Amino acid sequence: MKETSRRNFLRTTAGALLGSVAAVAFGLIPGRVKRALAGTTVQPEMDLTGYNPREHLYSYIIDLHKCIGCGSCVQACRRENKVPTGFYRTWVERYQKGPESDHAHIDSPNGGLYGFPAATAGVSGVSKAYFVPKMCNHCSEAPCVQVCPFGASFKSPDGVMLVDKERCMACGYCVQACPYAARWINPVTHVADKCTWCYQRITKGLKPACVQACPTGTRRFGDIRDPYDPVTKVLAEERVGMLQPQLLTKPKCYYLGLDKEVR
Ligand code: SF4
Ligand code: SF4
């Protein structure tokens, strides 16, 4: 069957059925993971031998006390994942507040790729300012998975949310459903894109590119199946926050020092 015909067939006939079956019976198969990795710096033929996703459960911590808004993480992500200009798998927001204002002014020029200007036009008397890195939260109860009619968005057993690029029809439902604005349709690959916690790296025992690049240790990544992992220790002992907990999406990105005005 021609590629276009196959896509049309899936869209019109089998999509809903495929989605519901996949939602119930999804399991990680190597081919599916490899397809999910297509378009990253490591191509589908990558060797996953020796990696068992059932032996890991990853979490990510962002320490807002440490972020200086330098943008090194955004740059590293762009390089590692060939992120097209104007799109971001991770970005940094700046929150600025005056002594008498109830609401923070938020800006993120170029996703924080080049850092931030010293002052924001129109904002004077800033008494409080801080940076908030953001990305896909790899939600345990992920709306993006729930709405995908093709079963293309899925959760691997190690907790990482991935996109099966063969199944994705770029319908954009997941882009709309994500409450964290983490997803977009890649103009080069024409499928849904977002942070994968650099799956091509973590399956090799490496840290995500953003974690590796951060000069202040703001970003930490770990395996909570390992009781000795520093991330496991932080989650066990420190008070952590998450974005929009009222949505019950159960994010696996946790924040230290999260202010209630961050959304
Ligand atoms: S943050 Fe958005 S894209 Fe990521 S798992 Fe949650 S709903 Fe899906
Ligand atoms: S984990 Fe990887 S894909 Fe996700 S934001 Fe960091 S560098 Fe980008």
Side-chain angles (χ1 to χ4, degrees), residues 60 73 76-78 80-81 83 89-91 134-136 138 194-201 208-211 219 221:
Y60 196 106
C73 51
C77 177
R78 182 156 298 260
E80 171 69 26
N81 297 299
V83 179
R89 284 188 172 198
T90 187
W91 65 99
K134 290 187 175 177
M135 60 205 300
C136 169
H138 296 273
K194 64 167 200 72
C195 163
T196 62
W197 278 343
C198 289
Y199 206 67
Q200 71 278 14
R201 291 175 59 89
C210 53
V211 173
R219 293 172 177 255
F221 180 81

PDB file of all heavy atoms in Angstrom, residues 60 73 76-78 80-81 83 89-91 134-136 138 194-201 208-211 219 221, ligand 2:
ATOM      1  N   TYR A  60      12.915  13.678  37.052  1.00  0.00           N
ATOM      2  CA  TYR A  60      13.729  14.853  36.703  1.00  0.00           C
ATOM      3  C   TYR A  60      13.462  15.920  37.758  1.00  0.00           C
ATOM      4  O   TYR A  60      12.310  16.154  38.144  1.00  0.00           O
ATOM      5  CB  TYR A  60      13.279  15.333  35.333  1.00  0.00           C
ATOM      6  CG  TYR A  60      14.204  16.275  34.605  1.00  0.00           C
ATOM      7  CD1 TYR A  60      14.952  15.845  33.529  1.00  0.00           C
ATOM      8  CD2 TYR A  60      14.287  17.605  34.967  1.00  0.00           C
ATOM      9  CE1 TYR A  60      15.773  16.719  32.824  1.00  0.00           C
ATOM     10  CE2 TYR A  60      15.111  18.485  34.275  1.00  0.00           C
ATOM     11  CZ  TYR A  60      15.852  18.029  33.206  1.00  0.00           C
ATOM     12  OH  TYR A  60      16.666  18.896  32.510  1.00  0.00           O
ATOM     13  N   CYS A  73      21.161  25.035  28.656  1.00  0.00           N
ATOM     14  CA  CYS A  73      20.349  23.826  28.519  1.00  0.00           C
ATOM     15  C   CYS A  73      19.570  23.835  27.209  1.00  0.00           C
ATOM     16  O   CYS A  73      19.486  22.817  26.505  1.00  0.00           O
ATOM     17  CB  CYS A  73      19.395  23.705  29.696  1.00  0.00           C
ATOM     18  SG  CYS A  73      18.441  25.220  30.007  1.00  0.00           S
ATOM     19  N   ALA A  76      21.956  23.187  24.355  1.00  0.00           N
ATOM     20  CA  ALA A  76      22.400  21.790  24.299  1.00  0.00           C
ATOM     21  C   ALA A  76      21.303  20.893  23.752  1.00  0.00           C
ATOM     22  O   ALA A  76      21.566  19.986  22.945  1.00  0.00           O
ATOM     23  CB  ALA A  76      22.813  21.325  25.696  1.00  0.00           C
ATOM     24  N   CYS A  77      20.063  21.170  24.163  1.00  0.00           N
ATOM     25  CA  CYS A  77      18.931  20.387  23.668  1.00  0.00           C
ATOM     26  C   CYS A  77      18.793  20.548  22.159  1.00  0.00           C
ATOM     27  O   CYS A  77      18.572  19.591  21.421  1.00  0.00           O
ATOM     28  CB  CYS A  77      17.661  20.832  24.379  1.00  0.00           C
ATOM     29  SG  CYS A  77      16.179  19.995  23.802  1.00  0.00           S
ATOM     30  N   ARG A  78      18.944  21.776  21.700  1.00  0.00           N
ATOM     31  CA  ARG A  78      18.812  22.090  20.271  1.00  0.00           C
ATOM     32  C   ARG A  78      19.845  21.316  19.452  1.00  0.00           C
ATOM     33  O   ARG A  78      19.541  20.716  18.430  1.00  0.00           O
ATOM     34  CB  ARG A  78      19.015  23.595  20.095  1.00  0.00           C
ATOM     35  CG  ARG A  78      18.869  24.137  18.706  1.00  0.00           C
ATOM     36  CD  ARG A  78      18.516  25.599  18.776  1.00  0.00           C
ATOM     37  NE  ARG A  78      17.245  25.746  19.456  1.00  0.00           N
ATOM     38  CZ  ARG A  78      16.078  25.931  18.842  1.00  0.00           C
ATOM     39  NH1 ARG A  78      16.051  26.033  17.543  1.00  0.00           N
ATOM     40  NH2 ARG A  78      14.957  26.021  19.497  1.00  0.00           N
ATOM     41  N   GLU A  80      21.601  18.588  20.425  1.00  0.00           N
ATOM     42  CA  GLU A  80      21.476  17.138  20.569  1.00  0.00           C
ATOM     43  C   GLU A  80      20.322  16.572  19.749  1.00  0.00           C
ATOM     44  O   GLU A  80      20.416  15.499  19.170  1.00  0.00           O
ATOM     45  CB  GLU A  80      21.255  16.805  22.051  1.00  0.00           C
ATOM     46  CG  GLU A  80      20.897  15.353  22.350  1.00  0.00           C
ATOM     47  CD  GLU A  80      22.052  14.388  22.098  1.00  0.00           C
ATOM     48  OE1 GLU A  80      23.218  14.813  22.178  1.00  0.00           O
ATOM     49  OE2 GLU A  80      21.760  13.194  21.825  1.00  0.00           O
ATOM     50  N   ASN A  81      19.213  17.323  19.711  1.00  0.00           N
ATOM     51  CA  ASN A  81      17.980  16.779  19.131  1.00  0.00           C
ATOM     52  C   ASN A  81      17.566  17.427  17.808  1.00  0.00           C
ATOM     53  O   ASN A  81      16.454  17.188  17.348  1.00  0.00           O
ATOM     54  CB  ASN A  81      16.859  16.908  20.159  1.00  0.00           C
ATOM     55  CG  ASN A  81      17.146  16.088  21.409  1.00  0.00           C
ATOM     56  OD1 ASN A  81      17.269  14.866  21.329  1.00  0.00           O
ATOM     57  ND2 ASN A  81      17.290  16.747  22.549  1.00  0.00           N
ATOM     58  N   VAL A  83      16.594  20.365  17.052  1.00  0.00           N
ATOM     59  CA  VAL A  83      15.323  21.075  17.222  1.00  0.00           C
ATOM     60  C   VAL A  83      15.274  22.230  16.221  1.00  0.00           C
ATOM     61  O   VAL A  83      16.189  23.053  16.176  1.00  0.00           O
ATOM     62  CB  VAL A  83      15.189  21.610  18.665  1.00  0.00           C
ATOM     63  CG1 VAL A  83      13.872  22.360  18.834  1.00  0.00           C
ATOM     64  CG2 VAL A  83      15.281  20.457  19.670  1.00  0.00           C
ATOM     65  N   ARG A  89      12.198  22.004  22.785  1.00  0.00           N
ATOM     66  CA  ARG A  89      11.866  20.842  23.614  1.00  0.00           C
ATOM     67  C   ARG A  89      11.968  21.216  25.087  1.00  0.00           C
ATOM     68  O   ARG A  89      11.337  20.608  25.927  1.00  0.00           O
ATOM     69  CB  ARG A  89      12.808  19.681  23.307  1.00  0.00           C
ATOM     70  CG  ARG A  89      12.501  18.968  22.009  1.00  0.00           C
ATOM     71  CD  ARG A  89      13.339  17.711  21.874  1.00  0.00           C
ATOM     72  NE  ARG A  89      12.934  16.928  20.726  1.00  0.00           N
ATOM     73  CZ  ARG A  89      13.238  15.657  20.571  1.00  0.00           C
ATOM     74  NH1 ARG A  89      13.969  15.031  21.485  1.00  0.00           N
ATOM     75  NH2 ARG A  89      12.829  15.001  19.498  1.00  0.00           N
ATOM     76  N   THR A  90      12.815  22.176  25.369  1.00  0.00           N
ATOM     77  CA  THR A  90      12.859  22.775  26.702  1.00  0.00           C
ATOM     78  C   THR A  90      13.056  24.267  26.513  1.00  0.00           C
ATOM     79  O   THR A  90      13.622  24.709  25.510  1.00  0.00           O
ATOM     80  CB  THR A  90      13.967  22.173  27.572  1.00  0.00           C
ATOM     81  OG1 THR A  90      13.855  22.692  28.912  1.00  0.00           O
ATOM     82  CG2 THR A  90      15.359  22.497  27.044  1.00  0.00           C
ATOM     83  N   TRP A  91      12.568  25.029  27.459  1.00  0.00           N
ATOM     84  CA  TRP A  91      12.711  26.481  27.380  1.00  0.00           C
ATOM     85  C   TRP A  91      12.798  27.021  28.802  1.00  0.00           C
ATOM     86  O   TRP A  91      12.529  26.303  29.782  1.00  0.00           O
ATOM     87  CB  TRP A  91      11.558  27.103  26.598  1.00  0.00           C
ATOM     88  CG  TRP A  91      10.206  26.961  27.230  1.00  0.00           C
ATOM     89  CD1 TRP A  91       9.532  27.883  27.974  1.00  0.00           C
ATOM     90  CD2 TRP A  91       9.338  25.811  27.175  1.00  0.00           C
ATOM     91  NE1 TRP A  91       8.317  27.386  28.387  1.00  0.00           N
ATOM     92  CE2 TRP A  91       8.169  26.118  27.909  1.00  0.00           C
ATOM     93  CE3 TRP A  91       9.445  24.540  26.600  1.00  0.00           C
ATOM     94  CZ2 TRP A  91       7.124  25.210  28.075  1.00  0.00           C
ATOM     95  CZ3 TRP A  91       8.397  23.632  26.762  1.00  0.00           C
ATOM     96  CH2 TRP A  91       7.254  23.976  27.485  1.00  0.00           C
ATOM     97  N   LYS A 134      11.357  24.791  31.729  1.00  0.00           N
ATOM     98  CA  LYS A 134      10.197  23.929  31.500  1.00  0.00           C
ATOM     99  C   LYS A 134      10.465  22.944  30.362  1.00  0.00           C
ATOM    100  O   LYS A 134      11.340  23.165  29.521  1.00  0.00           O
ATOM    101  CB  LYS A 134       8.962  24.776  31.183  1.00  0.00           C
ATOM    102  CG  LYS A 134       8.449  25.569  32.383  1.00  0.00           C
ATOM    103  CD  LYS A 134       7.144  26.250  32.064  1.00  0.00           C
ATOM    104  CE  LYS A 134       6.564  26.952  33.284  1.00  0.00           C
ATOM    105  NZ  LYS A 134       5.328  27.679  32.963  1.00  0.00           N
ATOM    106  N   MET A 135       9.653  21.905  30.322  1.00  0.00           N
ATOM    107  CA  MET A 135       9.802  20.841  29.333  1.00  0.00           C
ATOM    108  C   MET A 135       8.610  19.903  29.463  1.00  0.00           C
ATOM    109  O   MET A 135       7.716  20.166  30.276  1.00  0.00           O
ATOM    110  CB  MET A 135      11.095  20.068  29.614  1.00  0.00           C
ATOM    111  CG  MET A 135      11.075  19.448  31.007  1.00  0.00           C
ATOM    112  SD  MET A 135      12.690  19.158  31.729  1.00  0.00           S
ATOM    113  CE  MET A 135      13.402  18.055  30.559  1.00  0.00           C
ATOM    114  N   CYS A 136       8.579  18.823  28.688  1.00  0.00           N
ATOM    115  CA  CYS A 136       7.551  17.792  28.898  1.00  0.00           C
ATOM    116  C   CYS A 136       7.708  17.240  30.298  1.00  0.00           C
ATOM    117  O   CYS A 136       8.815  16.938  30.748  1.00  0.00           O
ATOM    118  CB  CYS A 136       7.706  16.662  27.872  1.00  0.00           C
ATOM    119  SG  CYS A 136       6.696  15.213  28.237  1.00  0.00           S
ATOM    120  N   HIS A 138       6.479  14.418  31.353  1.00  0.00           N
ATOM    121  CA  HIS A 138       6.404  12.951  31.331  1.00  0.00           C
ATOM    122  C   HIS A 138       5.374  12.461  32.356  1.00  0.00           C
ATOM    123  O   HIS A 138       5.667  11.637  33.240  1.00  0.00           O
ATOM    124  CB  HIS A 138       7.796  12.343  31.539  1.00  0.00           C
ATOM    125  CG  HIS A 138       8.729  12.692  30.421  1.00  0.00           C
ATOM    126  ND1 HIS A 138       8.830  11.954  29.265  1.00  0.00           N
ATOM    127  CD2 HIS A 138       9.546  13.771  30.238  1.00  0.00           C
ATOM    128  CE1 HIS A 138       9.685  12.535  28.428  1.00  0.00           C
ATOM    129  NE2 HIS A 138      10.135  13.641  29.007  1.00  0.00           N
ATOM    130  N   LYS A 194       8.554  16.577  21.050  1.00  0.00           N
ATOM    131  CA  LYS A 194       8.661  17.094  22.417  1.00  0.00           C
ATOM    132  C   LYS A 194       9.893  16.482  23.060  1.00  0.00           C
ATOM    133  O   LYS A 194      10.564  15.651  22.456  1.00  0.00           O
ATOM    134  CB  LYS A 194       7.416  16.717  23.232  1.00  0.00           C
ATOM    135  CG  LYS A 194       7.281  15.216  23.398  1.00  0.00           C
ATOM    136  CD  LYS A 194       6.274  14.854  24.435  1.00  0.00           C
ATOM    137  CE  LYS A 194       6.516  13.449  24.916  1.00  0.00           C
ATOM    138  NZ  LYS A 194       7.706  13.303  25.757  1.00  0.00           N
ATOM    139  N   CYS A 195      10.159  16.871  24.288  1.00  0.00           N
ATOM    140  CA  CYS A 195      11.289  16.305  25.034  1.00  0.00           C
ATOM    141  C   CYS A 195      11.098  14.810  25.259  1.00  0.00           C
ATOM    142  O   CYS A 195      10.010  14.355  25.616  1.00  0.00           O
ATOM    143  CB  CYS A 195      11.398  17.021  26.379  1.00  0.00           C
ATOM    144  SG  CYS A 195      12.394  16.141  27.596  1.00  0.00           S
ATOM    145  N   THR A 196      12.165  14.048  25.056  1.00  0.00           N
ATOM    146  CA  THR A 196      12.150  12.601  25.338  1.00  0.00           C
ATOM    147  C   THR A 196      13.102  12.247  26.493  1.00  0.00           C
ATOM    148  O   THR A 196      13.427  11.087  26.673  1.00  0.00           O
ATOM    149  CB  THR A 196      12.599  11.804  24.107  1.00  0.00           C
ATOM    150  OG1 THR A 196      13.954  12.183  23.796  1.00  0.00           O
ATOM    151  CG2 THR A 196      11.714  12.081  22.905  1.00  0.00           C
ATOM    152  N   TRP A 197      13.513  13.282  27.225  1.00  0.00           N
ATOM    153  CA  TRP A 197      14.592  13.114  28.203  1.00  0.00           C
ATOM    154  C   TRP A 197      15.834  12.535  27.503  1.00  0.00           C
ATOM    155  O   TRP A 197      16.592  11.765  28.066  1.00  0.00           O
ATOM    156  CB  TRP A 197      14.159  12.244  29.393  1.00  0.00           C
ATOM    157  CG  TRP A 197      13.385  13.013  30.424  1.00  0.00           C
ATOM    158  CD1 TRP A 197      13.311  14.351  30.593  1.00  0.00           C
ATOM    159  CD2 TRP A 197      12.549  12.456  31.464  1.00  0.00           C
ATOM    160  NE1 TRP A 197      12.497  14.662  31.661  1.00  0.00           N
ATOM    161  CE2 TRP A 197      12.023  13.521  32.205  1.00  0.00           C
ATOM    162  CE3 TRP A 197      12.219  11.141  31.828  1.00  0.00           C
ATOM    163  CZ2 TRP A 197      11.165  13.338  33.297  1.00  0.00           C
ATOM    164  CZ3 TRP A 197      11.381  10.951  32.902  1.00  0.00           C
ATOM    165  CH2 TRP A 197      10.853  12.045  33.629  1.00  0.00           C
ATOM    166  N   CYS A 198      15.972  12.936  26.237  1.00  0.00           N
ATOM    167  CA  CYS A 198      17.100  12.444  25.425  1.00  0.00           C
ATOM    168  C   CYS A 198      17.195  10.918  25.519  1.00  0.00           C
ATOM    169  O   CYS A 198      18.206  10.360  25.951  1.00  0.00           O
ATOM    170  CB  CYS A 198      18.420  13.078  25.864  1.00  0.00           C
ATOM    171  SG  CYS A 198      18.588  14.802  25.439  1.00  0.00           S
ATOM    172  N   TYR A 199      16.125  10.266  25.075  1.00  0.00           N
ATOM    173  CA  TYR A 199      16.053   8.806  25.224  1.00  0.00           C
ATOM    174  C   TYR A 199      17.256   8.111  24.599  1.00  0.00           C
ATOM    175  O   TYR A 199      17.726   7.093  25.091  1.00  0.00           O
ATOM    176  CB  TYR A 199      14.758   8.307  24.593  1.00  0.00           C
ATOM    177  CG  TYR A 199      14.273   7.005  25.183  1.00  0.00           C
ATOM    178  CD1 TYR A 199      13.834   6.933  26.504  1.00  0.00           C
ATOM    179  CD2 TYR A 199      14.255   5.836  24.432  1.00  0.00           C
ATOM    180  CE1 TYR A 199      13.401   5.743  27.047  1.00  0.00           C
ATOM    181  CE2 TYR A 199      13.819   4.638  24.974  1.00  0.00           C
ATOM    182  CZ  TYR A 199      13.393   4.596  26.276  1.00  0.00           C
ATOM    183  OH  TYR A 199      12.961   3.412  26.821  1.00  0.00           O
ATOM    184  N   GLN A 200      17.762   8.691  23.511  1.00  0.00           N
ATOM    185  CA  GLN A 200      18.918   8.105  22.833  1.00  0.00           C
ATOM    186  C   GLN A 200      20.158   8.142  23.720  1.00  0.00           C
ATOM    187  O   GLN A 200      21.088   7.371  23.517  1.00  0.00           O
ATOM    188  CB  GLN A 200      19.180   8.828  21.496  1.00  0.00           C
ATOM    189  CG  GLN A 200      19.733  10.239  21.584  1.00  0.00           C
ATOM    190  CD  GLN A 200      18.660  11.294  21.823  1.00  0.00           C
ATOM    191  OE1 GLN A 200      17.538  10.968  22.176  1.00  0.00           O
ATOM    192  NE2 GLN A 200      19.005  12.566  21.634  1.00  0.00           N
ATOM    193  N   ARG A 201      20.182   9.022  24.718  1.00  0.00           N
ATOM    194  CA  ARG A 201      21.311   9.114  25.642  1.00  0.00           C
ATOM    195  C   ARG A 201      21.065   8.281  26.899  1.00  0.00           C
ATOM    196  O   ARG A 201      21.951   7.547  27.351  1.00  0.00           O
ATOM    197  CB  ARG A 201      21.546  10.586  26.051  1.00  0.00           C
ATOM    198  CG  ARG A 201      22.074  11.461  24.918  1.00  0.00           C
ATOM    199  CD  ARG A 201      22.164  12.928  25.354  1.00  0.00           C
ATOM    200  NE  ARG A 201      23.023  13.115  26.504  1.00  0.00           N
ATOM    201  CZ  ARG A 201      24.330  13.337  26.446  1.00  0.00           C
ATOM    202  NH1 ARG A 201      24.927  13.427  25.276  1.00  0.00           N
ATOM    203  NH2 ARG A 201      25.041  13.503  27.548  1.00  0.00           N
ATOM    204  N   PRO A 208      20.616  13.330  30.201  1.00  0.00           N
ATOM    205  CA  PRO A 208      20.085  14.167  29.118  1.00  0.00           C
ATOM    206  C   PRO A 208      21.034  15.339  28.839  1.00  0.00           C
ATOM    207  O   PRO A 208      21.737  15.813  29.745  1.00  0.00           O
ATOM    208  CB  PRO A 208      18.755  14.669  29.699  1.00  0.00           C
ATOM    209  CG  PRO A 208      18.359  13.640  30.699  1.00  0.00           C
ATOM    210  CD  PRO A 208      19.654  13.151  31.306  1.00  0.00           C
ATOM    211  N   ALA A 209      21.015  15.809  27.597  1.00  0.00           N
ATOM    212  CA  ALA A 209      21.956  16.864  27.186  1.00  0.00           C
ATOM    213  C   ALA A 209      21.810  18.125  28.039  1.00  0.00           C
ATOM    214  O   ALA A 209      22.800  18.780  28.381  1.00  0.00           O
ATOM    215  CB  ALA A 209      21.738  17.195  25.712  1.00  0.00           C
ATOM    216  N   CYS A 210      20.570  18.482  28.394  1.00  0.00           N
ATOM    217  CA  CYS A 210      20.340  19.703  29.185  1.00  0.00           C
ATOM    218  C   CYS A 210      20.931  19.575  30.586  1.00  0.00           C
ATOM    219  O   CYS A 210      21.452  20.547  31.136  1.00  0.00           O
ATOM    220  CB  CYS A 210      18.846  20.013  29.257  1.00  0.00           C
ATOM    221  SG  CYS A 210      17.849  18.625  29.833  1.00  0.00           S
ATOM    222  N   VAL A 211      20.835  18.398  31.145  1.00  0.00           N
ATOM    223  CA  VAL A 211      21.394  18.164  32.485  1.00  0.00           C
ATOM    224  C   VAL A 211      22.918  18.266  32.431  1.00  0.00           C
ATOM    225  O   VAL A 211      23.563  18.905  33.265  1.00  0.00           O
ATOM    226  CB  VAL A 211      20.964  16.775  33.014  1.00  0.00           C
ATOM    227  CG1 VAL A 211      21.664  16.444  34.328  1.00  0.00           C
ATOM    228  CG2 VAL A 211      19.440  16.719  33.179  1.00  0.00           C
ATOM    229  N   ARG A 219      19.498  21.315  36.917  1.00  0.00           N
ATOM    230  CA  ARG A 219      18.753  20.182  36.361  1.00  0.00           C
ATOM    231  C   ARG A 219      19.401  18.873  36.797  1.00  0.00           C
ATOM    232  O   ARG A 219      20.599  18.679  36.638  1.00  0.00           O
ATOM    233  CB  ARG A 219      18.746  20.278  34.834  1.00  0.00           C
ATOM    234  CG  ARG A 219      17.944  21.468  34.277  1.00  0.00           C
ATOM    235  CD  ARG A 219      18.157  21.580  32.794  1.00  0.00           C
ATOM    236  NE  ARG A 219      17.381  22.646  32.173  1.00  0.00           N
ATOM    237  CZ  ARG A 219      16.284  22.439  31.429  1.00  0.00           C
ATOM    238  NH1 ARG A 219      15.832  21.228  31.220  1.00  0.00           N
ATOM    239  NH2 ARG A 219      15.659  23.454  30.887  1.00  0.00           N
ATOM    240  N   PHE A 221      18.749  14.485  36.845  1.00  0.00           N
ATOM    241  CA  PHE A 221      17.994  13.378  36.262  1.00  0.00           C
ATOM    242  C   PHE A 221      18.418  12.102  36.961  1.00  0.00           C
ATOM    243  O   PHE A 221      19.605  11.884  37.207  1.00  0.00           O
ATOM    244  CB  PHE A 221      18.308  13.297  34.757  1.00  0.00           C
ATOM    245  CG  PHE A 221      17.591  12.198  34.039  1.00  0.00           C
ATOM    246  CD1 PHE A 221      16.272  12.359  33.637  1.00  0.00           C
ATOM    247  CD2 PHE A 221      18.228  10.998  33.765  1.00  0.00           C
ATOM    248  CE1 PHE A 221      15.605  11.347  32.974  1.00  0.00           C
ATOM    249  CE2 PHE A 221      17.571   9.986  33.088  1.00  0.00           C
ATOM    250  CZ  PHE A 221      16.260  10.161  32.699  1.00  0.00           C
TER     251      PHE A 221
HETATM  252  S1  SF4 B   2      16.077  15.923  28.316  1.00  0.00           S
HETATM  253 FE1  SF4 B   2      16.941  16.106  26.243  1.00  0.00          FE
HETATM  254  S2  SF4 B   2      15.152  16.432  24.921  1.00  0.00           S
HETATM  255 FE2  SF4 B   2      14.503  16.872  27.031  1.00  0.00          FE
HETATM  256  S3  SF4 B   2      14.860  19.048  27.301  1.00  0.00           S
HETATM  257 FE3  SF4 B   2      16.687  18.047  28.037  1.00  0.00          FE
HETATM  258  S4  SF4 B   2      18.069  18.038  26.252  1.00  0.00           S
HETATM  259 FE4  SF4 B   2      16.003  18.452  25.475  1.00  0.00          FE
END
